[in-house]
Amino acid sequence: MNWTIGDVTVTKIIELEMTGGSRFLLPQATPEAVLPITWLQPHFADATGRLRLSIHSFVVETPTRRIIVDTCLGNDKQGRRIPHWNDRDGPFLADLAAAGFPPESIDTVLCTHLHVDHVGWNTQQVDGQWVPTFPRAQYLMGRAEYEHWQSVQDRPDMATIFADSVTPIIEAGLATLVETNARICDEITLVPTLGHTPGHVSVMIQSNGEQALITGDFMHHPCQIAHPEWSTLADSDPEQGIDTRRRMFRRLAGTPVLIIGTHFAGVTAGRLVADGDTYRLDV
């Protein structure tokens, strides 16, 4: 699945898709609350109101860069809170290569934030050691994001994630800390979308008069377009997250900006339009 924005191409590489089991993330999105949002079916919810979610990466090709945005869960990881996220043995790297993107061809890794399902393939295990998966890439991490999570290493889950997926990148000299509004290249600019994490960013693509926004996790699921007040249990500052969604929806509604969801299943992308006193994703 891919999209073209001017001279830029975005390709989706899926690691994991699921239907249901999302109450741990979005407790307000009960089937009874989801079913009235009829436009969610069939791409984003099933006929019983269970949410569809995806964990995937995006490869963004510009005339000068080949960027992978977020790196999913990874194989062989331990200490993850969700049991089936441990000891994975999935074909992500083979799928990436089959799509035309072998790891050595990636020159930039861009992390919208440093949660477990966005940094996993930063590294892979080789002879019992965690080494960079993309050895020729510059890994871009938000300065505020990195400094925040580094300061809370008393949280066992984040200490584990740092140990296997972040610190090896720092030690290899491949990491560059960037600001939340950094310009990555002529076509790619970061947009601060705080709330889910203290340094969370989205990715704005602009080329030849066309625009797209890779969301990151300022919204996990399109149901939050209809209900921006629905927060996930993973948000570090839920009220700030709500404010961010409302601000971004006002900015994007009725514009030609293509919204590409970092966890949106199915068609994944669409444009935001007004829908009564709220919004919907027009796919």
Side-chain angles (χ1 to χ4, degrees), residues 53-255:
L53 286 161
S54 175
I55 297 175
H56 49 255
S57 293
F58 295 114
V59 178
V60 180
E61 295 179 277
T62 80
T64 60
R65 304 285 281 270
R66 179 173 280 186
I67 304 166
I68 188 166
V69 178
D70 292 331
T71 64
C72 303
L73 292 164
N75 284 351
D76 304 310
K77 306 291 182 169
Q78 302 288 336
R80 281 26 181 174
R81 290 181 174 182
I82 297 174
H84 66 273
W85 289 4
N86 292 286
D87 292 313
R88 287 187 52 79
D89 185 24
F92 179 82
L93 287 186
D95 293 343
L96 189 68
F101 311 115
E104 61 273 14
S105 74
I106 301 295
D107 58 55
T108 308
V109 177
L110 173 55
C111 301
T112 62
H113 60 299
L114 298 181
H115 276 172
V116 58
D117 52 329
H118 295 260
V119 299
W121 278 109
N122 282 2
T123 59
Q124 59 182 326
Q125 198 169 61
V126 177
D127 297 328
Q129 301 294 318
W130 294 109
V131 301
T133 303
F134 306 97
R136 298 177 61 188
Q138 176 188 36
Y139 286 69
L140 306 181
M141 307 176 189
R143 183 182 306 279
E145 183 79 1
Y146 176 80
E147 291 175 352
H148 169 77
W149 292 117
Q150 190 181 45
S151 73
V152 293
Q153 290 298 290
D154 55 332
R155 272 185 53 174
D157 59 330
M158 287 306 300
T160 300
I161 293 162
F162 255 60
D164 61 37
S165 299
V166 177
T167 301
I169 304 304
I170 304 293
E171 292 177 345
L174 298 180
T176 299
L177 300 182
V178 298
E179 306 308 321
T180 56
N181 61 351
R183 184 176 183 178
I184 308 307
C185 60
D186 287 346
E187 300 83 7
I188 310 295
T189 306
L190 302 185
V191 178
T193 45
L194 310 182
H196 180 57
T197 63
H200 185 278
V201 297
S202 301
V203 183
M204 179 63 76
I205 302 167
Q206 301 181 82
S207 177
N208 288 344
E210 299 181 1
Q211 292 180 290
L213 181 78
I214 296 176
T215 62
D217 284 3
F218 84 84
M219 52 176 167
H220 278 75
H221 189 275
C223 69
Q224 292 174 284
I225 294 173
H227 288 281
E229 75 280 7
W230 288 0
S231 298
T232 77
L233 296 179
D235 289 350
S236 63
D237 187 333
E239 289 303 317
Q240 188 179 39
I242 292 168
D243 289 344
T244 290
R245 281 188 291 281
R246 288 175 171 159
R247 172 177 55 83
M248 292 300 292
F249 295 166
R250 288 193 297 268
R251 171 179 170 180
L252 294 167
T255 73

